[in-house]
Amino acid sequence: EKADTLFDPGEYGMENYWCRVLACFIFMMAEVRDLFKIAELIVVLVKTPTKAESWVYTNDDSNETLMAPLENLKFKTAGMPLHWKIITFLFVIFPKCFLLYNVCWMGFFFLMSTAGIVDLVLGAMTMDFVLTIDELIFEALASSTSKHIMNELQGFVYDETDQHDYIENELSGGKKGRLGAIKLLVPMRLIVTCLMMIGFLVRYYWNHCDWKDNGWVSKRMYAPTT
């Protein structure tokens, strides 16, 4: 009886179960950051006009542009033809979503299967490296011109406010404005992080454990045949 009060056997040899949960939460925060980046890219593809527009602009002074063309050019996200939007979705967004999902699941599985606290914390901090491989490749292999263009590229600005919104807000007695303020105050990333962590946690226990004796017990495990 004293063993239960003096010792904490942990889960699968884990020193502290809540350390596991905290490590999974830290790991999921990093993955949610990449999820929101993908969501922003999707919004850009949807909001930009579906037509060919120039992404390159020059200064008014043509003499300076001729003397130093790259330094005097301006780059701004503009409209894209439909076929380029489809290509971007198939070869950029879809692979990133596929990679993000698999990194989340395999990383979560690794953290749930790690026993030591030190290994658990280090694994949570380094698991995000897989999702930064594309940035590493760009930094290592891209030309200086491509890097300059990406650094100087301005985002696409989409203004959703117009006179109709102001009139609708006045007719609702300011209700629409208050709802917009509440939306800004809601910690959306925190909510998404918690929901994703709970979802992967439920999937892990559902796939790898059985409910026995009022608790989750690991499924039967066998030694390899060879």
Side-chain angles (χ1 to χ4, degrees), residues 123-148:
M125 299 301 295
T126 58
M127 198 68 66
D128 188 51
F129 169 76
V130 179
L131 294 178
T132 61
I133 291 179
D134 55 343
E135 299 176 5
L136 179 63
I137 294 175
F138 178 79
E139 289 294 330
L141 302 179
S143 63
S144 57
T145 303
S146 300
K147 294 179 181 179
H148 174 79

Side-chain angles (χ1 to χ4, degrees), residues 6 14 22 41 52-53 56 65 72 81 83 105 111 118 127 139-140 152 158 179 188 214:
L6 298 178
M14 175 73 183
L22 179 60
L41 181 56
E53 294 181 348
V56 184
T65 303
N72 290 277
H83 66 276
W105 170 236
L111 295 177
V118 177
M127 198 68 66
E139 289 294 330
E152 299 296 328
Y158 182 77
L179 292 177
M188 187 58 64
N214 297 324

Side-chain angles (χ1 to χ4, degrees), residues 105-177:
W105 170 236
M106 297 308 298
F108 202 89
F109 175 79
F110 173 79
L111 295 177
M112 291 297 292
S113 303
T114 302
I117 290 181
V118 177
D119 296 333
L120 187 67
V121 175
L122 293 178
M125 299 301 295
T126 58
M127 198 68 66
D128 188 51
F129 169 76
V130 179
L131 294 178
T132 61
I133 291 179
D134 55 343
E135 299 176 5
L136 179 63
I137 294 175
F138 178 79
E139 289 294 330
L141 302 179
S143 63
S144 57
T145 303
S146 300
K147 294 179 181 179
H148 174 79
I149 293 175
M150 294 304 299
N151 290 330
E152 299 296 328
L153 181 63
Q154 301 177 8
F156 180 78
V157 179
Y158 182 77
D159 188 10
E160 293 184 338
T161 59
D162 52 18
Q163 188 65 27
H164 177 73
D165 293 330
Y166 292 110
I167 296 176
E168 187 176 349
N169 183 54
E170 291 294 332
L171 294 177
S172 63
K175 183 178 179 180
K176 186 174 182 179

Side-chain angles (χ1 to χ4, degrees), residues 192-212:
V192 174
T193 301
C194 294
L195 291 177
M196 288 184 62
M197 189 183 72
I198 293 173
F200 282 107
L201 188 66
V202 171
R203 180 186 175 185
Y204 175 83
Y205 280 110
W206 183 265
N207 292 341
H208 300 281
C209 300
D210 293 323
W211 182 260
K212 295 180 181 179

Side-chain angles (χ1 to χ4, degrees), residues 30-147:
E31 308 314 304
V32 168
R33 177 190 58 193
D34 291 276
L35 175 64
F36 274 79
K37 289 182 179 179
I38 296 175
E40 291 175 358
L41 181 56
I42 295 176
V43 171
V44 170
L45 289 179
V46 173
K47 297 295 185 179
T48 51
T50 309
K51 59 181 179 179
E53 294 181 348
S54 177
W55 287 42
V56 184
Y57 300 88
T58 58
N59 293 327
D60 295 334
D61 192 346
S62 58
N63 293 327
E64 292 184 2
T65 303
L66 292 175
M67 293 177 59
L70 191 59
E71 287 74 11
N72 290 277
L73 291 178
K74 296 181 180 180
F75 307 94
K76 183 178 180 181
T77 305
M80 298 175 61
L82 180 60
H83 66 276
W84 274 114
K85 288 188 175 183
I86 295 175
I87 292 174
T88 303
F89 181 84
L90 293 178
F91 292 96
V92 178
I93 295 180
F94 181 75
K96 289 180 72 70
C97 291
F98 179 78
L99 183 62
L100 176 63
Y101 173 79
N102 284 278
V103 169
C104 287
W105 170 236
M106 297 308 298
F108 202 89
F109 175 79
F110 173 79
L111 295 177
M112 291 297 292
S113 303
T114 302
I117 290 181
V118 177
D119 296 333
L120 187 67
V121 175
L122 293 178
M125 299 301 295
T126 58
M127 198 68 66
D128 188 51
F129 169 76
V130 179
L131 294 178
T132 61
I133 291 179
D134 55 343
E135 299 176 5
L136 179 63
I137 294 175
F138 178 79
E139 289 294 330
L141 302 179
S143 63
S144 57
T145 303
S146 300
K147 294 179 181 179

